[in-house]
Amino acid sequence: MKPKRNGSAPDLPLKDHRSLTTPSATAPVIHIVDDDASFLRAISRLLKASGFVVQTFVSAADFFSQREQNASGCLVVDLQMPGMDGLEVQAALARTNNPLPTLFLTGHGDIPSSVRAMRGGAEDFLVKTAPKAELLDAIRRAVARDARERKTRLQHHEAKERIETLTRREREVFGHVIQGRLNKQIADDLRIAERTVKCHRGNITTKLGVPSVAELTRLAHEAGMF
C-alpha cells in the first residue's frame, strides 16, 4: 500500500504529468487520476489506441483544478493516493454540478473499499491487472451512463425553467392539476372562483405549451416535483 502524505500538492510540476491530448468540444473525455506516472502513460496509450480522448492527472488536486468543468465522459481513479484518496475523490465529484461516473482501477483493492465505492455509485471496481477487454467494457458503460444522466439533468433543468415562468398562483393551480383534481375542487381548495381556475389553466397551457394533464404530469416529473 502506498504511504499517505499530508496535503494535496503533487511532488512534481503538474505540467510534467498532464496528457497533451486536447479534448474536442463534444467527445467524451476519460479523466484518469493516479499518482503513478508510468501507469498514467501506459493506460493513456491504451485508451487512445482504443479511440478515447484522454486527460491524465497525478492527484486529486490536479484533477479538480485543471479539469474542464463541463466535460462529458467518466473518471478512472486509483484507490490509494497521497492527499485525497479515490473514495474521497468520488464523494467530492458527486457533489459537483458535473458528477461524472467513476471507475476504480487500483493495485490495492479490498472488499470494504469496493463495497464503499459501489455504494457511492461507482460504475465498477477493477484491479490494474484486469484484462484489457474488461477495462474497455467498463469504460464504455461509464461513458454511456454519463450520456444518459447528462440528458436527464438537462431535461430536469429545462423543465424547471419552464415551470418557473408561471406566476405563484399559476404554480399553485398547476400543482393541483397534476394531482388530477377538477376545476371545482381546485377552486374550493384555493378559495377562488372556478372561472379563475379555468383562466389560470389556460395560461399554464399557453406558457408551457403542454395541452394535456398527462403531459403536464410528465413535465412536473422531469422537474423533480415528485
Side-chain angles (χ1 to χ4, degrees):
M1 182 178 293
K2 300 170 188 173
K4 293 278 186 176
R5 296 198 304 271
N6 294 326
S8 58
D11 290 334
L12 298 174
L14 300 183
K15 64 181 180 180
D16 293 338
H17 297 275
R18 294 292 309 279
S19 166
L20 297 180
T21 300
T22 301
S24 71
T26 57
V29 179
I30 313 305
H31 305 78
I32 310 172
V33 184
D34 196 300
D35 63 323
D36 185 336
S38 62
F39 175 75
L40 284 179
R41 288 192 294 270
I43 191 172
S44 180
R45 284 195 298 268
L46 169 63
L47 296 183
K48 289 176 186 177
S50 299
F52 292 106
V53 177
V54 177
Q55 281 191 309
T56 60
F57 308 85
V58 296
S59 69
D62 186 16
F63 170 65
F64 284 113
S65 65
Q66 302 297 328
R67 70 191 176 100
E68 293 292 333
Q69 297 296 316
N70 297 315
S72 61
C74 70
L75 169 68
V76 179
V77 63
D78 191 11
L79 179 63
Q80 298 290 343
M81 297 185 294
M84 291 178 69
D85 65 22
L87 292 170
E88 291 169 328
V89 173
Q90 178 191 29
L93 182 61
R95 295 191 293 269
T96 70
N97 292 328
N98 189 21
L100 296 170
T102 301
L103 167 66
F104 284 85
L105 189 61
T106 180
H108 305 279
D110 58 75
I111 293 176
S113 295
S114 64
V115 170
R116 284 183 59 192
M118 301 307 288
R119 284 179 176 173
E123 181 61 35
D124 213 332
F125 192 98
L126 303 175
V127 294
K128 290 181 176 178
T129 55
K132 171 184 173 181
E134 189 174 353
L135 171 61
L136 295 179
D137 177 66
I139 288 176
R140 292 188 184 103
R141 282 189 280 108
V143 170
R145 173 180 165 185
D146 178 59
R148 293 192 304 270
E149 293 179 348
R150 194 172 293 274
K151 180 179 179 181
T152 298
R153 290 196 298 272
L154 179 60
Q155 290 174 335
H156 172 72
H157 176 74
E158 291 178 342
K160 282 189 67 177
E161 282 195 331
R162 291 171 66 186
I163 291 172
E164 286 172 359
T165 64
L166 303 177
T167 66
R168 181 185 62 81
R169 180 62 86 181
E170 287 166 354
R171 285 197 294 270
E172 288 179 339
V173 172
F174 177 78
H176 285 273
V177 170
I178 62 176
Q179 293 177 41
R181 300 183 68 77
L182 303 176
N183 289 345
K184 186 177 186 310
Q185 294 173 314
I186 297 172
D188 289 343
D189 288 343
L190 298 181
R191 298 182 179 181
I192 58 178
E194 187 173 347
R195 64 177 178 275
T196 303
V197 173
K198 292 179 181 179
C199 180
H200 285 314
R201 291 190 68 156
N203 291 339
I204 291 169
T205 297
T206 300
K207 288 183 177 181
L208 300 183
V210 177
S212 70
V213 174
E215 290 179 275
L216 287 173
T217 302
R218 178 184 58 77
L219 184 66
H221 180 73
E222 289 180 351
M225 293 181 63
F226 59 86

